[in-house]
Coordinates of all heavy atoms in Angstrom, one line a residue:
N22 N -87.1 190.0 215.9 CA -88.1 190.9 215.6 C -88.6 190.7 214.1 O -89.3 191.5 213.5 CB -87.7 192.4 215.7 CG -87.4 192.7 217.1 OD1 -88.1 192.4 218.1 ND2 -86.2 193.1 217.3
N23 N -88.4 189.5 213.6 CA -88.7 189.1 212.2 C -90.3 189.3 212.1 O -91.1 188.8 212.8 CB -88.5 187.7 211.9 CG -88.8 187.3 210.5 OD1 -90.0 186.9 210.3 ND2 -87.7 187.3 209.6
K24 N -90.7 190.1 211.1 CA -92.0 190.6 211.0 C -93.0 189.4 210.7 O -94.2 189.4 211.2 CB -92.3 191.7 210.1 CG -91.7 193.0 210.6 CD -92.0 194.1 209.7 CE -91.6 195.5 210.4 NZ -91.8 196.7 209.5
F25 N -92.5 188.4 210.0 CA -93.4 187.4 209.6 C -93.7 186.5 211.0 O -95.0 186.3 211.3 CB -92.9 186.3 208.6 CG -93.7 185.1 208.5 CD1 -94.8 185.1 207.8 CD2 -93.2 183.9 209.0 CE1 -95.5 183.9 207.6 CE2 -93.9 182.8 208.9 CZ -95.1 182.7 208.2
T26 N -92.8 186.1 211.7 CA -93.0 185.3 212.9 C -93.7 186.2 214.0 O -94.5 185.6 214.8 CB -91.8 184.7 213.4 OG1 -90.7 185.7 213.6 CG2 -91.2 183.6 212.5
V27 N -93.3 187.4 214.0 CA -94.0 188.3 215.1 C -95.5 188.3 214.7 O -96.3 188.2 215.6 CB -93.5 189.7 215.1 CG1 -94.3 190.7 215.8 CG2 -92.1 189.7 215.7
T28 N -95.9 188.5 213.4 CA -97.3 188.6 213.0 C -97.9 187.1 213.2 O -99.1 187.0 213.8 CB -97.4 188.9 211.6 OG1 -96.9 190.2 211.4 CG2 -98.9 189.0 211.1
L29 N -97.2 186.0 213.0 CA -97.7 184.6 213.2 C -98.1 184.4 214.7 O -99.0 183.8 215.1 CB -96.7 183.6 212.6 CG -97.1 182.2 212.8 CD1 -98.4 181.9 212.0 CD2 -96.0 181.3 212.3
K30 N -97.0 184.8 215.5 CA -97.3 184.6 217.0 C -98.5 185.3 217.5 O -99.1 184.8 218.6 CB -96.1 185.1 217.7 CG -94.9 184.2 217.7 CD -93.7 184.7 218.4 CE -93.1 186.0 218.2 NZ -92.0 186.6 219.0
A31 N -98.9 186.4 216.8 CA -100.0 187.1 217.3 C -101.4 186.6 216.7 O -102.4 187.2 217.0 CB -99.8 188.6 217.1
N32 N -101.2 185.7 215.7 CA -102.4 185.3 215.1 C -103.3 184.3 215.9 O -102.8 183.3 216.5 CB -102.0 184.4 213.8 CG -103.2 184.0 213.0 OD1 -103.8 183.0 213.3 ND2 -103.5 184.8 211.9
P33 N -104.5 184.7 216.2 CA -105.3 183.9 217.1 C -105.6 182.5 216.7 O -105.6 181.5 217.5 CB -106.6 184.7 217.1 CG -106.6 185.5 215.9 CD -105.3 185.8 215.6
D34 N -105.7 182.1 215.4 CA -105.9 180.7 214.9 C -104.6 180.0 215.1 O -104.8 178.8 215.5 CB -106.3 180.8 213.4 CG -107.6 181.5 213.1 OD1 -108.4 181.4 214.0 OD2 -107.8 181.9 211.9
F35 N -103.5 180.6 215.0 CA -102.3 179.8 215.2 C -102.2 179.5 216.7 O -101.8 178.4 217.1 CB -101.0 180.7 214.8 CG -99.7 180.1 215.2 CD1 -99.2 179.0 214.6 CD2 -99.0 180.7 216.2 CE1 -98.0 178.5 214.9 CE2 -97.7 180.3 216.5 CZ -97.2 179.1 215.8
N36 N -102.4 180.5 217.6 CA -102.2 180.3 219.0 C -103.3 179.3 219.5 O -103.0 178.5 220.4 CB -102.5 181.6 219.8 CG -101.3 182.6 219.6 OD1 -100.2 182.1 219.9 ND2 -101.4 183.7 219.2
A37 N -104.5 179.3 218.9 CA -105.4 178.3 219.3 C -105.0 176.8 218.9 O -105.2 175.9 219.6 CB -106.8 178.6 218.7
A38 N -104.3 176.7 217.8 CA -103.9 175.4 217.2 C -102.7 175.0 218.1 O -102.6 173.8 218.5 CB -103.4 175.5 215.8
V39 N -101.8 176.0 218.4 CA -100.7 175.5 219.3 C -101.1 175.0 220.6 O -100.6 174.0 221.2 CB -99.8 176.8 219.6 CG1 -98.7 176.4 220.7 CG2 -99.1 177.1 218.3
H40 N -102.2 175.6 221.2 CA -102.8 175.1 222.4 C -103.5 173.9 222.4 O -103.4 172.9 223.1 CB -103.8 176.2 223.0 CG -104.5 175.8 224.2 ND1 -103.8 175.9 225.3 CD2 -105.8 175.3 224.4 CE1 -104.7 175.4 226.3 NE2 -105.9 175.2 225.8
K41 N -104.2 173.7 221.2 CA -105.0 172.4 220.9 C -104.0 171.3 220.8 O -104.3 170.2 221.5 CB -105.8 172.5 219.7 CG -106.4 171.3 219.2 CD -107.1 171.4 217.8 CE -107.6 170.1 217.3 NZ -108.2 170.2 215.9
Y42 N -102.9 171.3 220.2 CA -102.0 170.2 220.0 C -100.9 170.2 221.0 O -100.1 169.4 221.0 CB -101.4 170.3 218.5 CG -102.4 170.2 217.5 CD1 -102.5 171.3 216.5 CD2 -103.2 169.1 217.4 CE1 -103.4 171.1 215.5 CE2 -104.1 169.0 216.2 CZ -104.3 170.0 215.3 OH -105.1 169.9 214.3
K43 N -100.9 171.1 222.0 CA -99.9 171.2 223.1 C -98.5 171.2 222.5 O -97.7 170.3 223.0 CB -100.2 169.9 224.1 CG -101.6 169.9 224.6 CD -101.7 168.7 225.6 CE -103.0 168.7 226.3 NZ -104.3 168.7 225.5
I44 N -98.3 172.0 221.6 CA -96.9 172.1 221.1 C -95.9 172.9 221.9 O -96.2 173.9 222.4 CB -97.0 172.8 219.7 CG1 -97.9 171.9 218.7 CG2 -95.7 173.1 219.1 CD1 -98.2 172.6 217.5
N45 N -94.8 172.2 222.1 CA -93.8 172.8 223.0 C -92.4 172.3 222.5 O -91.9 171.3 223.1 CB -94.0 172.5 224.4 CG -93.0 173.1 225.3 OD1 -92.2 174.0 224.8 ND2 -92.8 172.7 226.5
W46 N -91.8 173.0 221.4 CA -90.4 172.6 221.1 C -89.4 172.7 222.1 O -88.4 172.0 222.2 CB -90.1 173.4 219.8 CG -90.7 172.9 218.6 CD1 -91.7 173.4 217.9 CD2 -90.2 171.7 217.9 NE1 -92.0 172.7 216.8 CE2 -91.1 171.5 216.7 CE3 -89.3 170.7 218.0 CZ2 -91.0 170.5 215.8 CZ3 -89.1 169.6 217.1 CH2 -90.0 169.7 216.0
M47 N -89.6 173.7 223.0 CA -88.6 174.0 224.1 C -88.6 172.9 225.2 O -87.8 173.1 226.2 CB -88.8 175.3 224.6 CG -88.6 176.4 223.6 SD -87.1 176.3 222.7 CE -85.8 176.7 223.9
A48 N -89.4 171.9 225.1 CA -89.3 170.8 226.0 C -88.0 170.1 225.8 O -87.4 169.5 226.6 CB -90.4 169.8 225.8
D49 N -87.5 170.2 224.5 CA -86.1 169.7 224.2 C -85.4 170.8 223.4 O -85.4 170.7 222.2 CB -86.2 168.5 223.4 CG -84.9 167.8 223.3 OD1 -83.9 168.4 223.5 OD2 -84.9 166.5 222.9
P50 N -84.9 171.8 224.0 CA -84.3 173.0 223.4 C -83.1 172.6 222.3 O -82.9 173.6 221.6 CB -83.9 173.9 224.6 CG -83.7 172.9 225.7 CD -84.7 171.8 225.5

């Protein structure tokens, strides 16, 4: 529940960039 990362996860620009670059660290957990 870290407030920085919770806030970051809800940031629309961040989410758009994650989608754009197809980022998925959990592909190799």
Side-chain angles (χ1 to χ4, degrees):
N22 300 307
N23 181 277
K24 288 190 174 178
F25 171 75
T26 53
V27 167
T28 303
L29 178 61
K30 282 188 293 183
N32 183 278
D34 293 334
F35 173 69
N36 285 308
V39 168
H40 178 73
K41 173 185 176 181
Y42 297 121
K43 298 180 174 61
I44 296 174
N45 179 19
W46 280 105
M47 295 311 289
D49 191 345

